[in-house]
Amino acid sequence: MILFRKAEDIRQYLDKQENLGKQLSFVPTMGALHPGHLSLLSEAKKGGGISVCSIFVNPTQFNDAKDFEKYPVTLDEDIKMLEEAGCDVLFIPSVTEIYPQGVSDPSRYELGAIESVLEGKYRPGHFQGVAMVVHRLLEIVMPHHLYMGQKDYQQCMVVAELIRITGLDKRVQLKVVPTMREKDGLAMSSRNMRLKKEERKLAVGIYETLQFINKNIAKEPFSALKADAAHRLTSKGFRVDYVEIADATTLETVIEWDGKQGLVALIAAYLNEVRLIDNLQVVQ
Ligand code: AMP
């Protein structure tokens, strides 16, 4: 595995690889890696080209300064994990490498309605930050394939839109990888490291609630089902940001369901200080 810290150096190396006819597959991360991240790398490696991972805790996507400060950093372990998993190239840029003009760039991406619902509503500015960092990373790495996790369902949709509006769709193909879960069903997440033992036991309540929604999708009006689901979470000690049942392709709230429209159930909730998100595509 070759480690780069400078945009110019990684670009030079990748140019050479491309001239040798290699396809480039890219997995951007914020580090604190777990098997969910490695499942993206494993998909990226299936193409047989050069696999590139990045680790960068992006300050512009944190709307909550405390969340940024407390974001877990496990760089030595991450490097070891990626090396063992057969990653070809690792990019660990500094903030100035990603944001040479500083982090307060006033430019905005026109991401449409997807930006301001759900995560966008509860984390104002979050997706502009995601768009900034992903755009910059894509310009540096210029991958043919970009791998992202369904765990961040809305993020995948935002990035798909970003790729479209920037014209990068001529080059980059987004591939969405299913969510990897712990044995009990909890979606793997770097933030799980911050859960105390008792909280970790409770955390599976999010996945159980998504399954509850899936199971009862045709039995109750959605408003009642969402209220029941939220109540289940609060009774376990969660503080709920949202429980939503949405169209799987637009993320618009669905109130009346024809039984055919593709649906996704999404939850964001806190256990004390730690905010967790998860989602499940509804299957009947
Ligand atoms: P993060 O480091 O949290 O920004 O995540 C980096 C990438 O890994 C994103 O595309 C995430 O959606 C993806 N990811 C995070 N957790 C999981 C998981 N449990 N299963 C699959 N992909 C994941």
Side-chain angles (χ1 to χ4, degrees), residues 55-274:
I55 297 177
F56 179 66
V57 185
N58 174 35
T60 66
Q61 73 185 70
F62 286 83
N63 54 312
D64 175 355
K66 245 204 263 159
D67 190 27
F68 177 53
E69 271 166 38
K70 296 208 171 146
Y71 200 81
V73 176
T74 58
L75 206 50
D76 292 346
E77 288 93 326
D78 292 353
I79 293 173
K80 198 161 163 256
M81 275 170 90
L82 290 174
E83 183 127 46
E84 283 172 8
C87 175
D88 297 312
V89 175
L90 173 58
F91 183 41
I92 310 184
S94 63
V95 173
T96 43
E97 204 60 26
I98 294 295
Y99 298 112
Q101 326 285 350
V103 291
S104 48
D105 185 345
S107 62
R108 277 186 56 82
Y109 295 88
E110 288 301 327
L111 301 167
I114 191 77
E115 184 194 343
S116 42
V117 296
L118 302 167
E119 287 301 286
K121 181 172 163 196
Y122 286 89
R123 302 185 67 189
H126 170 64
F127 287 127
Q128 286 296 325
V130 169
M132 277 163 86
V133 75
V134 174
H135 190 195
R136 174 80 174 127
L137 286 169
L138 290 180
E139 281 184 340
I140 296 170
V141 177
M142 288 300 280
H144 300 94
H145 306 290
L146 169 66
Y147 292 82
M148 303 199 81
Q150 191 173 347
K151 156 85 173 30
D152 298 284
Y153 195 97
Q154 191 174 3
Q155 174 169 273
C156 291
M157 293 177 69
V158 163
V159 169
E161 184 60 8
L162 173 77
I163 289 173
R164 197 185 67 77
I165 62 174
T166 52
L168 284 167
D169 52 347
K170 289 177 203 75
R171 163 87 182 194
V172 185
Q173 201 189 352
L174 174 63
K175 308 227 177 188
V176 179
V177 180
T179 305
M180 184 157 273
R181 299 180 179 282
E182 302 286 357
K183 274 206 187 80
D184 64 355
L186 173 67
M188 289 184 180
S189 163
S190 306
R191 288 190 171 84
N192 294 351
M193 290 180 196
R194 292 185 52 204
L195 296 170
K196 300 199 179 79
K197 208 169 162 205
E198 282 313 299
E199 293 166 344
R200 169 60 190 87
K201 278 190 206 148
L202 292 170
V204 69
I206 294 191
Y207 181 58
E208 286 170 355
T209 307
L210 288 167
Q211 286 181 311
F212 165 81
I213 293 173
N214 188 42
K215 207 168 123 211
N216 293 289
I217 198 79
K219 295 188 187 147
E220 273 187 274
F222 285 0
S223 54
L225 185 55
K226 288 190 286 186
D228 283 354
H231 179 70
R232 282 176 158 248
L233 289 167
T234 45
S235 67
K236 289 193 170 100
F238 286 94
R239 207 164 71 248
V240 177
D241 265 356
Y242 58 80
V243 172
E244 194 53 275
I245 301 170
D247 181 289
T249 51
T250 64
L251 280 191
E252 274 168 34
T253 301
V254 175
I255 296 161
E256 297 269 340
W257 188 43
D258 60 7
K260 295 184 202 125
Q261 188 178 11
L263 298 176
V264 59
L266 308 105
I267 290 175
Y270 285 87
L271 271 175
N272 298 318
E273 296 293 302
V274 184

